[in-house]
Amino acid sequence: MNEVHRIHKVVRQWLEHADEDLRLAKHAFKLSSSRPNKLIAYHAQQCAEKYLKAFLALKKVDFPYTHNISLLLELSSKHAEWVEDLREAETLTDYAVTARYPGTEKVSKKDAEIAVRIADKVRSVLRKALKREGLKLS
């Protein structure tokens, strides 16, 4: 397997994980009681994070182990014109922690809905960018 195929395989793995996070976040809205808004927001954050990491992997940019969307956008900015369009995704960073630790602030249904909307936007923008870079997506 040549290097391009190997990189594309890794990128697709990032995207598969990201899409699973977004599907789970959207599905959780169907729960009739005790909707886990903090988990919805967490999975939306994870989707955005993984899409950005997929792009960086495609561009062969080393990135640290981080959940910081601002940092991932900054690393992407050297290779992409769409970064400013996704600045609102920086608001998702806090959700990487909110769902995992007690004592953090509550996440409202509206907050969770906004988080999913932002994750959808990140997904859409990044899929277009990845296709322009030659990645074949279904």
Side-chain angles (χ1 to χ4, degrees):
M1 177 182 299
N2 69 30
E3 184 182 11
V4 171
H5 284 42
R6 186 187 60 73
I7 290 170
H8 284 200
K9 181 179 178 182
V10 168
V11 170
R12 283 191 196 90
Q13 288 171 338
W14 277 110
L15 301 180
E16 181 182 336
H17 284 268
D19 287 341
E20 287 174 354
D21 279 309
L22 190 57
R23 271 196 313 278
L24 185 60
K26 289 178 176 182
H27 180 72
F29 280 117
K30 296 176 183 174
L31 296 173
S32 58
S33 64
S34 301
R35 181 179 299 110
N37 292 321
K38 65 181 180 238
L39 290 175
I40 292 170
Y42 168 76
H43 285 288
Q45 184 281 338
Q46 287 289 287
C47 173
E49 176 185 321
K50 290 169 186 171
Y51 261 94
L52 289 166
K53 288 178 176 179
F55 177 79
L56 291 170
L58 183 70
K59 299 305 266 179
K60 301 181 198 171
V61 175
D62 286 330
F63 50 87
Y65 178 80
T66 185
H67 302 298
N68 187 323
I69 300 290
S70 297
L71 176 58
L72 296 173
L73 286 170
E74 184 61 34
L75 291 171
S76 298
S77 70
K78 297 172 180 81
H79 306 279
E81 74 291 341
W82 42 259
V83 169
E84 290 307 313
D85 295 336
L86 296 180
R87 284 293 173 194
E88 67 183 327
E90 293 172 332
T91 63
L92 299 177
T93 296
D94 288 344
Y95 297 133
V97 175
T98 302
R100 296 173 19 194
Y101 301 104
T104 55
E105 65 184 77
K106 289 189 75 155
V107 176
S108 70
K109 180 182 179 191
K110 182 175 180 166
D111 292 336
E113 289 169 344
I114 291 169
V116 168
R117 180 188 54 76
I118 292 170
D120 263 330
K121 181 178 179 182
V122 170
R123 181 183 186 275
S124 176
V125 168
L126 267 292
R127 287 182 74 82
K128 287 176 188 168
L130 292 166
K131 284 180 183 178
R132 282 193 304 272
E133 293 289 337
L135 185 71
K136 290 183 176 38
L137 299 171
S138 53

